Amino acid sequence: MAASAFTRTRSCTMGGLGAPRALLASLAGLMLACGGQDAPDAASLDTQAPDTVSLETSSLETRSLDTRSAEKTLLDADPQSLLGGWPWPGNKTPAVALALEVKNGVGQPLRVREGSTFFINQIDIRTFVTSTKDEGLRNLIAQSDFGGLGWWGVRQVDQESIGAPGPYTRRRFFRNAAWMDLPSHFIVEPVDSRGRLTGVPILLNAGTEHQRRAGMDDFFIRRFRGIQTASGCATPDDCSASTQFEEEAILELRNAYEHAQRQTLTLRSDTRTLRLRWSLRPAAPYEIPVEQVRDARYTYGFRIGVEALTPPRPDGTYAPGTEISFQLTLRDGAGNRLHDKGYLPPYNEVAPDGTESGLQYYRAFFDATTTYYRRKHRERMLMTQIIGPAQNIQPIRSIVALEAFLDPEVDEQVVATPERDGVFSQFATLPFANVLFGGAFIDPNLWNQPNTDTWQFKLPDNAAPGTYLVTVKGRRVYLGEDLPGSTTIEIQVGTPQRTQPKHTTGPCTSCHSKGGELGVVLHANDNRAACAGCHAPLAFELEGPIFVRTHFIHSRSNRFDAPLQQCSSCHLTKESIQRTSKAACLSCHKSYPDSHVAQFGPIESMYVGGGAESFQQCTGACHTRHPGSGL
């Protein structure tokens, strides 16, 4: 698509009032402007690698009668009748963050509240095929609806296996295909039962793989990749006997920038479908059925309340050794409860698709998630933690064993102790881990029992005085809106004097802004001190710690603006980069010298380098500074 045409349309879309009929004409042309390369023959994939992939254009003469009819309807309509969702001055209705999903070329049905105004905050597109042989992504390229996008240059960049002591599941991650790197955009068209436009389409720029431009890109998160999953492998690397392979392509766009949030839709009563056009496959738009709910019981929005039921001492503090009961309350934006007081429904009534109220539980049993690479936002864990005192908060490196999650006598897991970790922390999943994981691996009937919205954290007898943080985080998915939420409260232990964390990294706002703030993305919590408790390394998810995830995500993201070796982009002191371990180094680096392999073993995990030993401190005689760190 010509750059000038794109620029003109964005200017009109962003500029507000302009000339509506000119805008409609421009959008109508853009719906037809870009085409994609035919798929390469799967057998010759490895030999075809042109330096550039051109885009074919689709002429007006070859477009379908249906498309021409839609264009004529758009151009002939009264512009004012189509601009119900346009952000005219005086339109004060807050727009709802809408999530769109497509699976194997089929738009997933969308139920929304009638009369609401929306912006597109999330687009998830997934296509997959299965195979009985290990053929990389060849079947996906030959058979799926992504086959014609242009796969030249695709290569495996990472690999990870889970499932010790076996059998293992191995995932291979692929990037650099032409379609993943090319700039592309989406157009969302509200249409009636006959395919006629019922409102102004929204144009969304997906940007490119190698640049993040807050003023041009419309989404803070952009992740396009291919994944091959092999099940039933004998070892982490040997899947030769496996006959279960899944090949998939995934497109994730999330967290619309502020300027994109101003592009809104208000659906007319006759809107039946959202037609999602992608510039890399314009001849085959996705059709997302829409049902508008008139008398919805709940409103949009998500609030999490948490309170201590155990009263403090007269001076407002808790004594070390005290067991404190807490209770959560999940509400919609108008304050309506999403569950009865004292009660959370059985797991089987919630997972995998949630409740009428939008309540969500952990669902990775049904839809596997992988940090950075695969749909982590869809994990939807409801969870709580305590950590403190604030002045001692630091990353937790002690590993939580799987047995701790399965013990029927233990509802809340201690993940850090002052003696071992320099800080105290305890967490609990809701429902409790012995129900979540016990129901999955031991007794399925646990998933049918009612659950509670209360829990207890017991302070250690030697709890240091100061401020302790109690956090609850979760996710609500309700009538098209997919929102994270979290709340952190403070309690005082041993002293009424408030203490504060000592951050050695920041400021994250250098990049996380204008719709990508920490208070919006991830768990929607900008209190970074509250992260470490939930983010301890788990025996089945060693990459839990924040320093591991931050290193891994930013080192893999081509949209991170700073040089990776420049630690000073995030670290504030030279001391903060001097604690070395496999996990610290290999969460960012993909290799290390042969001498290190001989001494410390080969790299076995793309996240932390190895196993439990990955969190042990390396000798202080090595790695006291990082070349190019700026510190």
Side-chain angles (χ1 to χ4, degrees), residues 68-386:
R68 284 189 236 172
S69 175
E71 180 192 36
K72 186 176 188 300
T73 301
L74 175 65
L75 295 177
D76 289 346
D78 174 10
Q80 298 297 335
S81 71
L82 297 176
L83 293 173
W86 195 254
W88 297 107
N91 185 357
K92 302 299 184 181
T93 304
V96 175
L98 196 61
L100 307 181
E101 182 180 2
V102 176
K103 183 166 66 175
N104 269 355
V106 179
Q108 301 304 287
L110 189 63
R111 300 179 73 238
V112 300
R113 280 179 61 94
E114 186 180 66
S116 301
T117 299
F118 304 94
F119 68 90
I120 308 302
N121 192 56
Q122 186 172 302
I123 298 176
D124 276 304
I125 302 178
R126 174 179 178 252
T127 187
F128 64 94
V129 299
T130 58
S131 174
T132 58
K133 296 189 299 183
D134 186 353
E135 298 183 274
L137 300 181
R138 294 181 184 277
N139 297 291
L140 180 77
I141 296 168
Q143 302 172 22
S144 78
D145 61 311
F146 271 35
L149 293 184
W151 285 86
W152 295 279
V154 68
R155 64 183 181 90
Q156 180 184 324
V157 294
D158 271 315
Q159 175 177 309
E160 186 78 349
S161 295
I162 59 173
Y168 292 86
T169 296
R170 183 196 70 197
R171 290 192 178 89
R172 289 176 168 169
F173 305 97
F174 296 81
R175 301 178 73 172
N176 301 118
W179 70 269
M180 300 177 188
D181 295 345
L182 285 170
S184 62
H185 66 269
F186 288 86
I187 298 175
V188 182
E189 306 166 5
V191 299
D192 63 14
S193 60
R194 298 175 61 183
R196 299 174 301 186
L197 285 158
T198 61
V200 172
I202 291 177
L203 175 66
L204 298 167
N205 181 15
T208 69
E209 171 72 7
H210 295 280
Q211 282 186 312
R212 180 185 61 83
R213 295 182 177 178
M216 290 293 293
D217 293 5
D218 286 329
F219 297 93
F220 181 77
I221 292 176
R222 178 199 192 272
R223 295 174 185 169
F224 297 4
R225 67 255 299 106
I227 305 173
Q228 186 216 46
T229 301
S231 305
C233 302
T235 73
D237 297 310
D238 182 10
C239 298
S240 58
S242 175
T243 58
Q244 302 175 56
F245 295 88
E246 181 181 79
E247 306 167 26
E248 61 180 331
I250 286 183
L251 180 155
E252 299 176 8
L253 294 171
R254 297 198 300 280
N255 299 109
Y257 279 114
E258 292 172 353
H259 64 264
Q261 295 178 26
R262 292 193 289 268
Q263 300 185 66
T264 59
L265 287 169
T266 300
L267 304 185
R268 285 190 346 196
S269 59
D270 58 342
T271 300
R272 297 292 180 269
T273 302
L274 291 182
R275 190 158 53 205
L276 180 64
R277 297 185 184 271
W278 186 14
S279 59
L280 298 188
R281 55 190 309 274
Y286 302 113
E287 305 284 338
I288 301 175
V290 175
E291 175 190 351
Q292 299 190 56
V293 179
R294 175 171 298 179
D295 299 315
R297 177 180 174 185
Y298 302 93
T299 66
Y300 287 116
F302 187 30
R303 303 179 188 175
I304 299 179
V306 57
E307 63 175 327
L309 302 180
T310 304
R313 297 182 295 188
D315 66 351
T317 70
Y318 292 93
T322 303
E323 184 174 77
I324 309 172
S325 293
F326 295 90
Q327 186 171 42
L328 70 81
T329 306
L330 305 177
R331 302 180 185 272
D332 65 14
N336 301 307
R337 277 185 163 273
L338 305 183
H339 59 97
D340 293 333
K341 186 174 183 178
Y343 168 85
L344 289 175
Y347 185 80
N348 275 336
E349 290 184 12
V350 178
D353 297 320
T355 63
E356 177 194 3
S357 67
L359 188 65
Q360 296 285 315
Y361 291 156
Y362 178 77
R363 64 187 302 276
F365 302 122
F366 312 99
D367 189 1
T369 63
T370 305
T371 297
Y372 182 67
Y373 278 121
R374 192 180 194 281
R375 312 186 102 178
K376 197 67 174 174
H377 63 296
R378 297 172 66 91
E379 190 173 83
R380 296 171 183 166
M381 175 75 84
L382 182 61
M383 193 170 185
T384 180
Q385 64 133 42
I386 185 172

Side-chain angles (χ1 to χ4, degrees), residues 545-584:
I546 287 296
F547 75 91
V548 172
R549 295 201 177 188
T550 301
H551 282 180
F552 188 88
I553 291 171
H554 290 86
S555 67
R556 265 62 177 183
S557 175
N558 293 319
R559 290 157 66 84
F560 180 60
D561 295 334
L564 291 179
Q565 72 273 16
Q566 187 176 309
C567 306
S568 60
S569 299
C570 299
H571 287 263
L572 302 176
T573 66
K574 63 180 182 180
E575 291 78 14
S576 68
I577 67 170
Q578 289 178 346
R579 191 191 192 282
T580 55
S581 65
K582 278 188 179 179

Side-chain angles (χ1 to χ4, degrees), residues 593-610:
D594 291 341
S595 61
H596 285 50
V597 174
Q599 186 172 357
F600 305 112
I603 297 176
E604 298 174 343
S605 167
M606 69 179 183
Y607 292 117
V608 298

